[in-house]
Every structure is written in C-alpha cells, then in structure tokens.
Amino acid sequence: MAADYPDIDIAPFIDHSLLMPTATPEQVEQWCEEADRFNFAAVCLQPAYVKQAAELLHGRKTKVCTVIGFPTGATTSAVKLYEAQEAVENGATELDVVINLGWLKAGNTEAVHREIAEICEETGQTVKAILETNLLTEAEKKLAAELSMEAGVAFLKTSTGWHGGATVADVRFLKDMAKERVGIKASGGIRTYNQAVELILAGATRLGTSRSIDLIRQRDNLEKGE
C-alpha cells in the first residue's frame, strides 16, 4: 500500500448511510446486513426506517442512527424534538441533527443552543450536530461548533452532503475546536479509500458515506497491489 496512505481499518469509523428519498425497505435490509457483516459503526437511515433497522440489528454491534430536521434544519424546534423522541422510541441510539442555519446566521444563538440542548437532554442519546460547514463562514463554523458542544452533543458533523462534502480543512478546524471533547463526523462526498484515510488522519472519528462497500473493496485492492 502506498506510504502516503497507511493501512487503516476504516470499517469501525463508518456510518453506512442510506438517505436518498427513494430508499426502499429492501435496501434498508441490505444496508443493515452489510453493516453487520463489515462491522460498521452504524447504519444511518431516514426516520421512517428506524424501526425496521432496529429489529434487523437487534443484539448486533452496529448502532441505528437517523437524521433529524434533515436536510434543511429549518423545521420548528417542537417538530425536531418530536422527531428525535419518536426515533428513539423506535430504536435509534444516534441522532444526526441539522442545526437551524438561518438562526445561526441571524445571530439567534440562544435559539440554536436551546433547540439542540433540548434534544440532547430529552432523548439521552448520542447527538451529532450537522453544521453544514460549506454554507458557513469561518466565524460561523466556530460559533456553530461552540454552541453545539455547549448544548451537549457527542459529535460535530461537517455536512448533510446536499451542499458539498467534507473537506480535510474543515475536519482539522473542527478537531481544533473540539479539543478532544467530542467526536468529529466527516460526511458527504467520500468516494475513495484514500480520501477516507485523509479525513481520519485529519481528525475524523466517524465517516458518513453511502459508498462504504466500495471503500472497503478499494482498500482490499490496494492490499493486493491492484
């Protein structure tokens, strides 16, 4: 394997994601089977499929993750909280919550903090704040990260993938902000094994991708010298 890309088992970092609006129950079953087989950290699905995934992965190591307020973050706080609580009732143990970007840009920091804090407190589960870094200035990224960590999140997540993907620069920025207090999830546009490794080396502790199996195959091919 090339010296620039050390041999890293990326499987435990991966949230195997199926977030397309056309996802079917058959695909959910496939994603859960793959996640269990490859020992991925989690499957990340739309809320409508949480109960199915929780049943399929009952007693397994892989966690069930879902998205809240996805992909805009602009639903009301009450709706986000209900969505999060229902997801937990259906078996989700990880919640990727899109922050309200409009409130952030308008300087309504109290509302941004309160919304995320309430979800953290009321659900008691792992919350990852989706910051959508590609839509933020450096100062806004810093503010979003600070507010989310103060609210009690377990991870800072770069993006939904709907407005560009994760970058090494943003992962490093969030890692510096976090100071080991929370994890960093890089998500969006992760298409190669080498890219995944770069993000991990930059500080990512989770990787959100729908191309998980392809990344594993690329790693296997590199080991074979192909």
Side-chain angles (χ1 to χ4, degrees), residues 7-201:
D7 185 3
I8 292 178
D9 180 10
I10 64 172
F13 291 84
I14 290 176
D15 284 0
H16 193 31
S17 303
L18 180 65
L19 296 172
M20 67 186 84
T22 55
T24 64
E26 290 75 21
Q27 288 175 306
V28 171
E29 184 172 358
Q30 176 189 336
W31 251 247
C32 289
E33 188 278 326
E34 290 170 345
D36 179 50
R37 174 154 46 99
F38 288 97
N39 294 313
F40 294 146
V43 288
C44 188
L45 309 160
Q46 295 281 6
Y49 289 124
V50 165
K51 184 174 288 188
Q52 180 189 357
E55 291 171 355
L56 290 168
L57 292 170
H58 180 70
R60 307 290 185 171
K61 185 178 178 181
T62 298
K63 301 179 187 304
V64 177
C65 172
T66 194
V67 287
I68 304 298
F70 190 87
T72 68
T75 49
T76 66
S77 295
V79 168
K80 281 186 182 176
L81 179 59
Y82 179 84
E83 188 176 32
Q85 290 173 321
E86 184 181 43
V88 171
E89 289 173 4
N90 286 337
T93 58
E94 298 194 350
L95 306 168
D96 288 18
V97 183
V98 187
I99 69 168
N100 190 307
L101 299 165
W103 286 351
L104 183 79
K105 286 182 174 289
N108 195 353
T109 56
E110 183 180 346
V112 175
H113 177 276
R114 183 174 61 247
E115 180 176 89
I116 299 298
E118 191 171 24
I119 291 172
C120 291
E121 292 165 7
E122 295 296 326
T123 65
Q125 300 299 325
T126 296
V127 173
K128 309 186 194 100
I130 305 178
L131 309 184
E132 206 69 283
T133 50
N134 292 301
L135 299 182
L136 304 179
T137 65
E138 291 295 294
E140 288 167 346
K141 291 175 196 175
K142 183 175 185 292
L143 180 59
E146 288 174 342
L147 290 169
S148 298
M149 288 188 289
E150 289 171 3
V153 303
F155 286 82
L156 299 173
K157 179 176 172 181
T158 60
S159 46
T160 61
W162 287 52
H163 301 282
T167 67
V168 166
D170 276 341
V171 169
R172 285 179 179 151
F173 181 86
L174 295 179
K175 180 186 178 184
D176 289 342
M177 285 293 304
K179 295 181 172 59
E180 309 297 331
R181 289 175 287 172
V182 299
I184 307 297
K185 179 173 174 179
S187 185
I190 304 173
R191 296 181 174 85
T192 69
Y193 169 77
N194 289 345
Q195 184 184 8
V197 170
E198 288 175 349
L199 291 166
I200 291 170
L201 294 177

